[in-house]
Each structure stands twice: as C-alpha cells, then as structure tokens.
Amino acid sequence: MKTWLTRGSIAAATLVVLAASSLASRVGAEALTTVIVNGETMTGYFNDGDTFRPRDGRYHGTSFRTGGFNTLESFGPVHQWGDWHPYELYVIAKMAARNARRGTWHCTTDGTTDSYGRMLADCPDLAMSQIQQGLAMAYQADDTPSRPEYLRAQHDAITARRGMWAHGVPQFVMTSVHSFDENRDLPSHYNRRISTIDGHTESMEHHDTYATCQWVCAPDVVPDPTTTHDVARSLRADAALAPQIADISNLLLLEITGRFARTGALPGWVTGTLHDEIEARLVAARDAGRIGPVHEERGSCMLYVPFDRRYYSRGAAAAPCLSGHGTLPPDMPDRWHTSH
C-alpha cells in the first residue's frame, strides 16, 4: 500500500514550508526583521507570527509577545476546523511567521509582561498586516472586544475568505489546550478559545487529563441568526435605548444579542444601568419567543502536545503526531489521501 496526496492544496502547502526552509538556509539560521520599539530601531527575530526577540539594542535578549492579534501555533499541524486539513493550517501559521519577518514594524511597550514572562508590545501595523491577510485573528486576552479597526479588517478577510478563513469560520478558534495533570496543585485548568465575532477570549475551565497527541474539540453553540439580527435591530430602534448604544457598533450589538441567546448573560464590558436596560429588553424578547433556539455545530479542535514534546530541541523526542502531515480528529473522515 502506498498513500498518495489527492488534494492539491496539501501538496502546495508542503512546497510553501519547504520554500520557507530553503529561504532560511540561504540567509542564515535567523531571518532578521527591522523593528522599532518605543522609537528605537533594532533587528529582531520572529520565531512565529506574533512573537519576536530583539538581537541588539536595549531590549536585546527580551522576548516580546505582540498584542491585539493571535497567529496559529507553528510547532506542528495542531489546529483543525471547517474543511481544513491540520497541515494546511500549519502552513498558514508558517506564512504568518514569514510575513512578520518580511516587514518593518513599529511597536510600543510599557514593560508589562504576560504569564510566560514575555514583554507585551503593541504593533498596530504588524497586527493589521496579519489580520487583513487572514494570517491571524483579532484577539483580546479577556472578555472585552478587539479594536474596531482590527475587527473591520477581520470581517473583510472573512468575507473574502482569505487565509485561515478559506475553508470555514467557526464561532470560536481553540488556541490553547492544557491537561489537568500539568499541575494538579491548581484547582482547575483551562482551554482558551477566541471569538471570531469580536475577538474576546473565553476560558473553558476543566479537570480533564489529555494524552499526548489527543485531539480536544469544543462544539459551537450557535444562536438563530435571523432572530438575533431582528432583536439587535429592535435595540437599535428603541427610542429610549438608542442614544445609550449609539457608540456600540452593529457587530458588537450582534455579539450582545448572540451572547445572551447562547448563555443568558451579557458581555462583561456592558455594565451599569446600560447592562440592566439591555438585559431587561432581551429577557422580554426571550420570554416573548423572539429570541430563537440555539443549536450545536462542529467547532474547532486543537491537538494536545505537552510543551516539552513540541520540539526536538527540548530534550525529549517530539510527539509523533507532529511529523508528516499529522493526524485528523477522530470524527473527521480523511478526504485528502487515497490508498492504491
């Protein structure tokens, strides 16, 4: 038996990865990029599409995580949703890194660090470049929506089916998976998902233990789009409420009504009397049957690989599911290969 690729996109994807590797070998181990941080010009190395290390200047040796957007994991074919093969999304991640390495970016930082000790940087031109091409998604690390300009760029990329949106747009993209046995001293662990509507993050707390190379999937709970739009329009048309929500975009108003339909709650950034007034109207709409039922759809999946099994250079052998084209979630038929 010999397995052949039958989908040209995977073959083309392989060529993209090989071409990127060939380019790196010609220009050296690291392709350096010009990055201007707080007005200081330096060279930096992007190990993926949203993280870089300066190689000179006052920040030499510091690792930066750029904020406001998120690129896919680039250590292997670990993402899957829609009609994508995981290897194709792995190539999207590699393309994001290559795009970051080819520009000149302007960033600012106040010295704040994230939970991994990386300094946080705001690089709007890099963020827009990645999001517009569908190489990244708008992202906030909490319940608040992303910047309006990032959301507009993402909406345009989704409409045009660019990059990661070419073969499906889930309600959420799974971006981080943690097994409970990573640290049993913690009361719970979480899997992180990013909304494709407004970029907010939801952490799914759990006590599950995952095996290396196990696919972790989460269904999307999808409200009826017609009734969600109708209720959003009714809020906009409400004479008493309209002045208070004038600065809330239509997209975020749909997020409010959709969130209520699927969870019975409003986003955390809707507070005070505005929260109470919107909630009262949505409760009345629900009780009147004007907010339709929700249904479950297949959502996004992510492969669980412990940190020390992601790279050969970490000491332990890389997980076997990261080699070749990787694996598929167990409920997904293989439409990309045939045996002869």
Side-chain angles (χ1 to χ4, degrees):
M1 290 284 185
K2 187 173 183 179
T3 300
W4 297 90
L5 291 173
T6 59
R7 186 169 180 175
S9 55
I10 295 187
T14 304
L15 293 177
V16 170
V17 172
L18 292 175
S21 301
S22 176
L23 175 64
S25 66
R26 291 197 303 271
V27 300
E30 295 182 348
L32 298 181
T33 305
T34 299
V35 185
I36 302 170
V37 180
N38 288 353
E40 179 182 344
T41 301
M42 61 195 70
T43 54
Y45 173 68
F46 279 86
N47 59 296
D48 59 28
D50 55 30
T51 309
F52 70 93
R53 287 180 177 272
R55 290 299 186 244
D56 53 29
R58 59 184 284 201
Y59 296 108
H60 181 220
T62 301
S63 179
F64 278 92
R65 171 58 163 94
T66 57
F69 71 100
N70 186 76
T71 58
L72 300 176
E73 294 289 352
S74 60
F75 61 84
V78 298
H79 295 282
Q80 200 286 315
W81 69 79
D83 290 331
W84 282 112
H85 190 285
Y87 191 79
E88 295 173 304
L89 288 172
Y90 169 58
V91 172
I92 296 289
K94 292 296 187 182
M95 291 171 65
R98 187 173 184 184
N99 184 56
R101 293 167 186 164
R102 298 177 67 179
T104 297
W105 313 115
H106 301 76
C107 309
T108 57
T109 183
D110 62 5
T112 302
T113 58
D114 67 6
S115 59
Y116 297 98
R118 301 173 298 186
M119 194 172 292
L120 298 176
D122 183 31
C123 312
D125 48 2
L126 172 61
M128 288 293 288
S129 178
Q130 300 282 42
I131 295 171
Q132 285 174 331
Q133 297 179 68
L135 302 178
M137 59 186 306
Y139 159 63
Q140 285 291 101
D142 54 25
D143 191 43
T144 59
S146 185
R147 296 179 187 177
E149 60 270 28
Y150 293 175
L151 293 179
R152 286 193 295 269
Q154 179 162 296
H155 178 74
D156 181 64
I158 288 174
T159 301
R161 291 294 190 260
R162 298 190 196 106
M164 68 174 70
W165 313 121
H167 294 296
V169 184
Q171 189 179 44
F172 290 87
V173 170
M174 187 95 70
T175 61
S176 180
V177 175
H178 299 278
S179 178
F180 186 67
D181 59 1
E182 291 178 8
N183 185 349
R184 293 186 177 273
D185 293 333
L186 296 177
S188 64
H189 282 263
Y190 71 94
N191 299 332
R192 185 180 67 192
R193 304 192 303 167
I194 301 176
S195 167
T196 59
I197 299 173
D198 71 345
H200 82 271
T201 299
E202 294 189 5
S203 295
M204 305 167 60
E205 294 192 1
H206 66 87
H207 298 85
D208 299 331
T209 298
Y210 304 130
T212 298
C213 294
Q214 178 178 338
W215 280 102
V216 180
C217 304
D220 287 338
V221 179
V222 182
D224 178 74
T226 300
T227 55
T228 300
H229 280 73
D230 289 345
V231 172
R233 291 191 189 97
S234 72
L235 295 179
R236 184 72 78 194
D238 188 307
L241 188 62
Q244 302 177 62
I245 62 175
D247 293 334
I248 298 179
S249 69
N250 289 336
L251 179 68
L252 296 186
L253 202 58
L254 286 171
E255 168 61 21
I256 291 172
T257 57
R259 181 90 66 98
F260 182 82
R262 66 183 178 85
T263 69
L266 272 60
W269 53 270
V270 183
T271 59
T273 57
L274 179 61
H275 173 280
D276 296 341
E277 292 188 28
I278 292 178
E279 183 180 55
R281 287 163 172 79
L282 294 179
V283 168
R286 181 186 62 195
D287 293 346
R290 294 194 296 113
I291 293 182
V294 299
H295 67 278
E296 287 193 357
E297 293 181 359
R298 189 179 186 279
S300 68
C301 301
M302 190 169 180
L303 200 65
Y304 175 70
V305 179
F307 187 76
D308 62 356
R309 299 293 307 278
R310 296 180 181 181
Y311 306 95
Y312 287 103
S313 60
R314 300 293 183 187
C321 54
L322 301 182
S323 63
H325 294 130
T327 66
L328 289 170
D331 64 336
M332 188 171 188
D334 189 348
R335 302 185 297 269
W336 292 268
H337 301 80
T338 58
S339 297
H340 297 281

